[in-house]
Amino acid sequence: MQNKNKLPSEIVLTYKIKHNYDLKNLLDKFINLSQKAVDIIWENINWKEKEVKHRFKSKNKYKYYTTTRLIPEIPKDKDFKRELRNYLLNGWNFASHYVDGAIKVAYSTIESWKSNYLDGKRKRNKPTFKRPFVRVKNTLIKYDKENGTIRITIKARKEYLVLDIKNEWFFEKIKGFDIGEIILKDSEALITFKKPLNIFDKKVVIGVDSNLKSLDLFHPEEGWIRIDLSELRRIKNVYDVIIDKLKSIYKKAPKRISILLKKYYNRRKNRVEDFINKLTSQLSKLFPDAIFIFEDLDKPNMYKNSNFNRDLDRTSWREIAKKLEYKSIVFYVNPHYTSKTCPICGSKMESQEGQVVKCEKCGVFNRQFVGSFNIFKRGVKLVKKLLGGVGVLPERSDGNLKTVRFLCPWLGWRSMIYSPMNPEES
């Protein structure tokens, strides 16, 4: 499991607005500059051989073997970066800080490639840029908070781009925020706003179990909360059917079908993003003092068969967690056996019919309740480790756990909030 549990220091919000400025020249030159930076960094990577140990299972026993891998060491010393910057500045006609942005883009791209390469998801091929964009540093931005205007320097003391956000729907939401970096595209701008975050104000840990048709949350006060994701699956399924039909007739009219495929891919993407944005906004508003705990799931290792793969592809677990990271605090825990470990005695449980799991000592439970509760417990331990126990509610006593066990086994099919602290309400 990769270490994704970094303590955040700020809340980050990103919004998109349209513009009608002609930026084609800047976009093309910036992306070419970024690619040139990637090329130079790539040429100076030092590849080191390293022995890697592997294992495989044979007749209930593990056997081991070793292979030699080439591990890339990316040049990051100050002298190299200074020479790279001076080289890229030659012939650059726009503000010099765009060169710094291009170098930052190049390094982040290669770091992302390296991470995937070490995980076996990428080959030893140099990354290339396909879509033009410009990364604008803070030093090129002047933000007037009261009037809602953003001035971006294109050429120092010569050319500027001005964006007016006072009449945008999100203007009230970002009052009190400082402006961060901006991504410029052909007809739109992605604007980032930042605000310092005091993580010690968070008082509640919420465990989130990601399932094919729902998110199951365990809140230490509210109990078990189920969020229905069937609408999200329906959206994806509707567009997948259309896209599959278009692919089946692609050879009859490639040019026309390509246009239609692009159209429906974009529609699918936009509707899914809209659903996830609204969902994560509601979660952050409903639980403003919460730390959300998700499983660190790896979809490729979950593939079983073609039908299950398609169902798995229609889930948006990682997208939901990533969007929520911009609005709340999200940590990740090991997903192994969260749905099979008894929430009371900790022993391994057996699966029964449907969503039922059974512990020989403690009785039957709903699998999705068990998953969310065990994630909550692991989250409490993780937060205590990271924050020293500050701002975290204590774990429930064994008596309360028995109350949860009594209330939840057969009630998990309803879309409602379970409150183990008030059993008379059920």
Side-chain angles (χ1 to χ4, degrees), residues 267-279:
R267 281 190 183 179
R268 183 184 190 271
K269 177 186 173 185
N270 291 337
R271 290 198 63 185
V272 168
E273 282 189 358
D274 180 64
F275 184 98
I276 293 174
N277 278 326
K278 289 176 179 176
L279 169 62

Side-chain angles (χ1 to χ4, degrees), residues 246-247 249-250 253-262:
L246 288 172
K247 286 181 176 179
I249 59 171
Y250 180 80
K255 195 171 183 179
R256 183 182 164 197
I257 300 300
S258 295
I259 295 171
L260 290 173
L261 281 171
K262 184 178 179 181

Side-chain angles (χ1 to χ4, degrees), residues 124-347:
R124 194 180 163 188
N125 297 327
K126 179 175 64 180
T128 57
F129 298 105
K130 295 180 180 179
R131 297 179 182 177
F133 68 91
V134 174
R135 188 171 188 165
V136 184
K137 288 184 64 179
N138 296 69
T139 50
L140 294 168
I141 302 168
K142 186 175 181 180
Y143 178 39
D144 186 337
K145 292 184 179 180
E146 291 186 5
N147 296 320
T149 56
I150 302 170
R151 193 186 75 174
I152 301 171
T153 302
I154 304 298
K155 294 182 179 180
R157 295 180 291 277
K158 292 181 180 179
E159 186 179 344
Y160 301 93
L161 182 156
V162 179
L163 302 173
D164 188 355
I165 63 170
K166 193 166 187 177
N167 296 321
E168 296 291 336
W169 64 272
F170 57 81
F171 184 64
E172 292 297 323
K173 292 188 175 184
I174 50 91
K175 284 188 174 179
F177 281 71
D178 295 321
I179 198 162
E181 290 188 332
I182 295 176
I183 300 295
L184 291 177
K185 296 184 179 181
D186 187 35
S187 60
E188 62 188 24
L190 299 173
I191 309 172
T192 303
F193 298 94
K194 299 180 179 181
K195 184 179 180 181
L197 171 67
N198 185 1
I199 192 170
F200 296 100
D201 288 341
K202 304 300 180 180
K203 301 174 182 177
V204 177
V205 170
I206 297 179
V208 184
D209 184 27
S210 303
N211 297 295
L212 289 176
K213 297 182 181 180
S214 68
L215 286 182
D216 290 85
L217 281 60
F218 185 85
H219 189 289
E221 293 175 337
E222 302 293 343
W224 181 16
I225 304 168
R226 170 163 289 184
I227 298 174
D228 187 12
L229 296 182
S230 57
E231 176 61 17
L232 179 59
R233 286 174 59 80
R234 188 195 68 80
I235 292 169
K236 290 188 172 183
N237 184 55
V238 166
Y239 284 100
D240 284 345
V241 170
I242 296 171
I243 289 168
D244 287 346
K245 286 182 179 178
L246 288 172
K247 286 181 176 179
S248 68
I249 59 171
Y250 180 80
K251 291 182 179 180
K252 294 182 179 179
K255 195 171 183 179
R256 183 182 164 197
I257 300 300
S258 295
I259 295 171
L260 290 173
L261 281 171
K262 184 178 179 181
K263 170 185 170 182
Y264 285 108
Y265 271 124
N266 286 334
R267 281 190 183 179
R268 183 184 190 271
K269 177 186 173 185
N270 291 337
R271 290 198 63 185
V272 168
E273 282 189 358
D274 180 64
F275 184 98
I276 293 174
N277 278 326
K278 289 176 179 176
L279 169 62
T280 52
S281 295
Q282 287 179 349
L283 286 174
S284 63
K285 289 176 183 177
L286 283 171
F287 308 111
D289 58 348
I291 297 174
F292 292 89
I293 309 296
F294 281 78
E295 297 170 285
D296 191 11
L297 295 169
D298 186 10
K299 281 187 183 180
N301 290 332
M302 297 172 67
Y303 291 158
K304 295 180 180 179
N305 55 58
S306 58
N307 292 330
F308 181 75
N309 292 355
R310 196 65 186 265
D311 274 345
L312 198 61
D313 184 57
R314 291 197 180 107
T315 62
S316 300
W317 303 327
R318 189 63 188 143
E319 291 86 344
I320 291 171
K322 288 298 289 182
K323 288 285 185 184
L324 195 57
E325 284 181 12
Y326 289 100
K327 302 163 187 177
S328 298
I329 298 174
V330 176
F331 291 147
Y332 299 89
V333 295
N334 193 321
H336 291 161
Y337 304 111
T338 52
S339 298
K340 292 184 178 181
T341 303
C342 178
I344 296 177
C345 68
S347 60

Side-chain angles (χ1 to χ4, degrees), residues 107-117 122:
Y107 269 103
S108 63
T109 302
I110 292 180
E111 287 288 355
S112 176
W113 165 84
K114 179 182 176 180
S115 176
N116 288 321
Y117 169 78
R122 294 288 185 275

